[in-house]
């Protein structure tokens, strides 16, 4: 079909000819559209919809019949389910195309123009996947593509506009050449990624977070902070940035960026000033949709807080200080992960750390570096486990030994012998109470007489969220009798007011910071006798209560009566 427009003859064939035959446009309109689309360097379909207001749905139906391509309803698919991470948005904008879904090694691409074979070829080259066209109405494609591109551009702009507030340097160990890396997360084009990661780390420090979680999922990617013991979602970057964020963090942590099949461990140091640096312990874990990366924030300043800042009751603090002042014996700190055991141990080591003492620690890993203390990072892969490190310590004229965790009988036996032969030993166990710590060691196989003779003090602890001083309000809905049933005594409630969280501009959900809740049990003669008689945890706990030592519940209730934590927080961190 030949048509003359402005003195020029245009041959109409293919889609243009079919549009004329079906009456969607006239011959003159079709010829004009073909010429103008070629001049504007856009597809015929896009030009007809945008410039000539041709019905997008009818146009898609005609194109589908003409080329035998399947027609897809783009409005029936959620934007979040699109595999956007497979193709760069610049390439999608260039070719006016959108990846729909992936089946095996085939990637289905939404196109409004079935003749756009160049798009299929370039996306195939970029992804390494076979590509197959699926026709969609132009108007639907333009709307969806605009949303996807706008989201990616907005996020990139936000990262580019990050200020330089709070100057800091990231110290990356020598030997990591970021510029030469072939990984997508380490090139010059990823400056926004670098700024974003730096901003996340700095924000976590400012908010007092203890952990940062970078988590990839099928349809989203999120970053969460653990603040005051509770995980909170902070930001959701585009899912397609997951590989770059992972690569950046692995480069900073001195990990193998090409290894994505097994977990890896590393460290990052962020120097905030000439006198203050923050360490991050980094772990990667291969998950179904990428690598989850968790950073534990290790602030050396926590080791120098001083025992007064930890929240011990005066009697409990006196018992801890007395145990630290002894030349021998064993101090055990117990509790679940994240209960503050490390800070308690390092605070004790800080008190003991002076030129007159030889202090050695075996840790997995070393969390906080302390000058004047010989710290050993155990490495079971090369035979350096806790037991082997302890044996070496005993040949190095030690005064104080710290074992990161007693996990097995061999380590427990060496630690007990060290405590019995003139050394002060500090360690941790993962148990719920002081009494259960004794039974745990008995179950390991440590003889009861060795436990009774070596252990001098047991500290079981939790961390409770501290009420915000600016917005906490009195709790008036709980009757006095109910408070007594919950464990309060008349002594605790005398001149005390129970408070509840409210929430204000200075806090999150009415809480700001955390306070330690402790059960401190000194091994008295009666408790030692109960241990020697192979008493169970209930019998040992009973002796501890009769000796006047508060359990965790009672200690938490005292903090609640003092207005430090809420009644709900007491129930969250302790049990009856």
């Amino acid at each position: 079909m030949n048509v003359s427009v402005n003195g020029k003859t245009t041959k109409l064939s293919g889609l243009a000819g079919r549009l004329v035959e079906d009456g969607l446009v006239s011959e003159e309109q079709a010829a004009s559209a073909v010429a103008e689309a070629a001049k504007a360097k856009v597809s015929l379909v896009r030009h007809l919809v945008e410039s000539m207001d041709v019905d997008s749905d009818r146009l898609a139906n005609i194109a589908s019949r003409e080329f035998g391509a399947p027609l897809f309803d783009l409005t029936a698919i959620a934007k979040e389910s699109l595999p956007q991470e497979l193709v760069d948005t610049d390439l999608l904008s260039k070719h006016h195309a959108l990846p729909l879904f992936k089946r095996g090694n085939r990637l289905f691409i939404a196109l409004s123009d079935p003749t756009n074979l160049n798009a299929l070829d370039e996306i195939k080259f970029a992804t390494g996947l076979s590509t197959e066209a699926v026709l969609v109405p132009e108007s639907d494609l333009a709307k969806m593509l605009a949303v996807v591109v706008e989201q990616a551009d907005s996020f990139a702009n936000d990262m580019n506009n990050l200020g330089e507030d709070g100057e800091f340097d990231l110290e990356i160990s020598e030997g990591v050449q970021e510029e030469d890396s072939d990984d997508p997360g380490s090139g010059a084009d990823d400056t926004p990624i670098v700024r974003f990661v730096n901003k996340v780390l700095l924000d976590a420090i400012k908010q007092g977070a203890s952990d940062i979680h970078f988590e990839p999922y099928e349809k989203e990617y999120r970053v969460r902070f653990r603040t005051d013991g509770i995980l909170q979602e902070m930001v959701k970057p585009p899912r397609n940035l997951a590989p770059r964020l992972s690569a950046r963090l692995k480069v900073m942590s001195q990990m193998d960026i090409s290894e994505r099949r097994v977990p890896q461990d590393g460290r990052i140091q962020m120097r905030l000033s000439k006198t203050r640096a923050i360490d991050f312990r980094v772990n990667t874990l291969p998950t179904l949709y990428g690598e989850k990366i968790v950073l534990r924030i290790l602030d050396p300043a926590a080791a120098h807080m001083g025992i007064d800042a930890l929240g011990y009751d005066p009697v409990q603090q006196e018992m801890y200080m007395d145990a630290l002042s002894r030349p021998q014996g064993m101090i055990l700190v117990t509790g679940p992960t994240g209960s503050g055991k490390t800070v308690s141990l390092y605070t004790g080591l800080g008190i003991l750390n002076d030129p007159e003492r030889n202090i050695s620690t075996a840790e997995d890993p070393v969390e906080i570096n302390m000058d004047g203390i010989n710290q050993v990072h155990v490495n079971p892969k090369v035979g350096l486990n806790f037991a082997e490190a302890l044996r070496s310590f005993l040949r190095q004229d030690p005064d104080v030994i710290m074992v990161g965790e007693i996990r097995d009988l061999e380590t427990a036996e060496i630690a007990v012998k060290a405590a019995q032969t003139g050394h002060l030993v500090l360690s941790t166990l993962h148990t719920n109470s002081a009494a259960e710590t004794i039974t745990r060691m008995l179950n390991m196989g440590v003889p009861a007489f060795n436990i009774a003779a070596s252990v001098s003090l047991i500290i079981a602890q939790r961390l409770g969220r501290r009420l915000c001083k600016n917005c906490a309000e009195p709790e008036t809905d709980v009757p006095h009798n109910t408070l007594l049933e919950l464990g309060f005594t008349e002594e605790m409630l005398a001149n005390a007011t129970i408070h509840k969280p409210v929430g204000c501009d200075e806090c999150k959900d009415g809480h700001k910071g955390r306070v330690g809740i402790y059960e401190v049990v000194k091994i008295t003669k009666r408790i030692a006798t109960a241990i020697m008689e192979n008493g169970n945890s209930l019998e040992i706990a009973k002796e501890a209560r009769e000796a006047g030592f508060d359990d965790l519940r009672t200690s938490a209730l005292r903090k609640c009566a003092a207005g430090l934590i809420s009644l709900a927080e007491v129930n969250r961190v302790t049990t009856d």
Side-chain angles (χ1 to χ4, degrees):
M1 182 186 301
N2 295 323
V3 179
S4 178
V5 178
N6 296 328
K8 295 183 179 180
T9 300
T10 302
K11 183 177 181 180
L12 297 179
S13 61
L15 179 60
R18 176 58 67 92
L19 294 176
V20 173
E21 291 177 9
D22 285 15
L24 191 61
V25 294
S26 66
E27 293 181 358
E28 290 76 12
Q29 287 177 322
S32 175
V34 169
E36 290 177 7
K39 183 178 180 180
K41 296 183 180 180
V42 297
S43 70
L44 174 61
V45 172
R46 188 173 177 183
H47 178 77
L48 288 170
V49 174
E50 292 181 353
S51 302
M52 301 181 65
D53 201 25
V54 174
D55 184 270
S56 180
D57 292 334
R58 285 189 61 191
L59 181 55
N61 273 291
I62 294 173
S64 176
R65 294 197 308 271
E66 174 67 17
F67 292 92
L71 187 62
F72 185 81
D73 182 7
L74 195 57
T75 61
I77 191 170
K79 175 182 69 67
E80 293 77 14
S81 66
L82 299 175
Q84 304 170 35
E85 71 277 6
L86 295 178
V87 187
D88 187 84
T89 51
D90 290 339
L91 190 60
L92 298 181
S93 298
K94 174 183 176 183
H95 291 294
H96 205 63
L98 196 65
L100 286 177
F101 43 82
K102 180 173 173 283
R103 296 288 183 270
N105 197 41
R106 290 192 301 166
L107 183 62
F108 291 83
I109 306 297
L111 299 171
S112 60
D113 180 10
T115 65
N116 190 4
L117 302 180
N118 193 34
L120 299 179
D121 291 339
E122 286 204 29
I123 294 175
K124 178 180 179 180
F125 179 79
T127 62
L129 301 171
S130 298
T131 52
E132 188 168 325
V134 176
L135 280 182
V136 297
E138 165 60 28
S139 58
D140 295 341
L141 176 61
K143 290 178 183 178
M144 183 76 80
L145 187 59
V147 171
V148 170
V149 173
E150 181 182 3
Q151 181 187 28
D153 290 346
S154 175
F155 187 79
N157 288 335
D158 288 344
M159 292 190 290
N160 274 320
N161 293 331
L162 291 177
E164 300 298 331
D165 54 320
E167 294 184 2
F168 59 86
D169 297 317
L170 285 175
E171 293 191 357
I172 301 176
S173 301
E174 294 181 4
V176 179
Q177 299 295 332
E178 294 183 68
E179 298 82 354
D180 298 334
S181 173
D182 294 330
D183 195 275
S186 56
D189 293 339
D190 288 285
T191 298
I193 297 293
V194 173
R195 291 189 178 183
F196 174 70
V197 171
N198 292 356
K199 183 69 162 51
V200 168
L201 301 188
L202 191 61
D203 284 348
I205 295 171
K206 289 180 178 179
Q207 295 183 27
S210 61
D211 301 88
I212 310 171
H213 293 241
F214 292 82
E215 301 171 313
Y217 296 97
E218 181 181 11
K219 299 178 181 179
E220 65 178 15
Y221 190 94
R222 69 179 180 182
V223 179
R224 295 191 291 171
F225 292 173
R226 186 178 293 279
T227 307
D228 297 337
I230 305 296
L231 277 171
Q232 298 174 326
E233 186 176 289
M234 304 307 298
V235 65
K236 296 176 72 172
R239 175 66 180 82
N240 62 328
L241 293 182
R244 296 182 181 181
L245 290 171
S246 174
R248 172 60 185 166
L249 288 166
K250 289 166 74 174
V251 166
M252 294 167 65
S253 309
Q254 220 177 346
M255 298 180 188
D256 183 356
I257 59 177
S258 65
E259 180 57 78
R260 301 178 178 89
R261 301 166 298 175
V262 297
Q264 296 187 67
D265 292 295
R267 293 181 76 94
I268 300 172
Q269 185 179 77
M270 173 180 281
R271 185 163 295 281
L272 301 176
S273 66
K274 293 182 179 180
T275 58
R276 188 185 177 199
I278 303 292
D279 290 328
F280 297 83
R281 190 181 73 201
V282 188
N283 176 265
T284 68
L285 178 68
T287 64
L288 192 59
Y289 298 105
E291 289 180 289
K292 173 175 179 176
I293 301 180
V294 176
L295 287 74
R296 167 65 58 87
I297 302 175
L298 307 170
D299 187 355
H304 305 289
M305 289 173 57
I307 195 168
D308 293 331
L310 297 185
Y312 286 98
D313 291 340
V315 175
Q316 294 175 335
Q317 180 174 323
E318 183 180 350
M319 286 191 289
Y320 190 20
M321 294 295 292
D322 179 65
L324 289 171
S325 66
R326 296 187 177 188
Q328 66 183 51
M330 181 181 292
I331 300 173
L332 297 175
V333 182
T334 76
T337 300
S339 60
K341 299 188 299 296
T342 299
V343 173
S344 289
L345 282 178
Y346 276 110
T347 299
L349 290 177
I351 293 171
L352 296 170
N353 189 14
D354 62 50
E356 297 178 357
R357 290 188 177 94
N358 176 21
I359 304 175
S360 297
T361 72
E363 305 171 63
D364 183 19
V366 174
E367 296 196 350
I368 298 175
N369 299 325
M370 296 186 70
D371 292 335
I373 294 179
N374 308 292
Q375 297 173 275
V376 175
H377 184 162
V378 299
N379 186 356
K381 293 181 180 180
V382 297
L384 181 58
N385 53 26
F386 283 117
E388 190 61 36
L390 277 175
R391 290 193 189 93
S392 296
F393 290 168
L394 293 176
R395 295 192 290 268
Q396 296 245 328
D397 185 31
D399 295 301
V400 180
I401 296 172
M402 195 271 273
V403 186
E405 183 183 351
I406 295 178
R407 299 174 179 173
D408 51 56
L409 176 59
E410 185 180 17
T411 304
E413 286 181 334
I414 299 173
V416 165
K417 290 178 181 177
Q420 292 175 326
T421 55
H423 308 95
L424 181 61
V425 179
L426 291 77
S427 190
T428 71
L429 282 91
H430 286 282
T431 57
N432 293 324
S433 67
E436 290 178 33
T437 302
I438 299 298
T439 56
R440 173 70 182 279
M441 295 187 71
L442 289 171
N443 291 336
M444 281 184 182
V446 181
F449 63 88
N450 278 340
I451 298 174
S454 60
V455 178
S456 57
L457 191 74
I458 302 175
I459 302 172
Q461 66 181 74
R462 303 289 188 275
L463 289 177
R465 290 181 294 169
R466 186 189 296 268
L467 287 168
C468 176
K469 296 179 180 179
N470 295 324
C471 62
E473 292 182 352
E475 177 71 77
T476 58
D477 298 334
V478 185
H480 185 79
N481 289 338
T482 301
L483 293 175
L484 295 176
E485 292 174 0
L486 290 172
F488 287 96
T489 64
E490 293 289 358
E491 176 201 358
M492 292 182 196
L493 295 175
N495 301 319
T497 302
I498 309 301
H499 287 77
K500 63 181 179 181
V502 177
C504 65
D505 294 337
E506 299 293 325
C507 66
K508 291 186 177 181
D509 303 323
H511 299 98
K512 189 172 184 179
R514 289 192 285 181
V515 61
I517 299 168
Y518 303 95
E519 175 189 19
V520 181
V521 175
K522 181 180 179 181
I523 305 302
T524 64
K525 291 183 178 180
R526 291 188 60 177
I527 294 176
T529 300
I531 296 172
M532 293 285 289
E533 294 175 352
N534 290 318
N536 58 36
S537 59
L538 294 177
E539 294 169 341
I540 296 171
K542 180 182 177 182
E543 290 291 345
R545 300 296 82 79
E546 291 179 356
F549 304 133
D550 287 343
D551 60 11
L552 282 167
R553 177 78 178 183
T554 303
S555 181
L557 291 172
R558 291 190 188 279
K559 294 287 193 301
C560 182
L564 296 176
I565 63 176
S566 67
L567 192 56
E569 192 68 6
V570 172
N571 293 325
R572 187 182 75 86
V573 299
T574 67
T575 56
D576 289 318

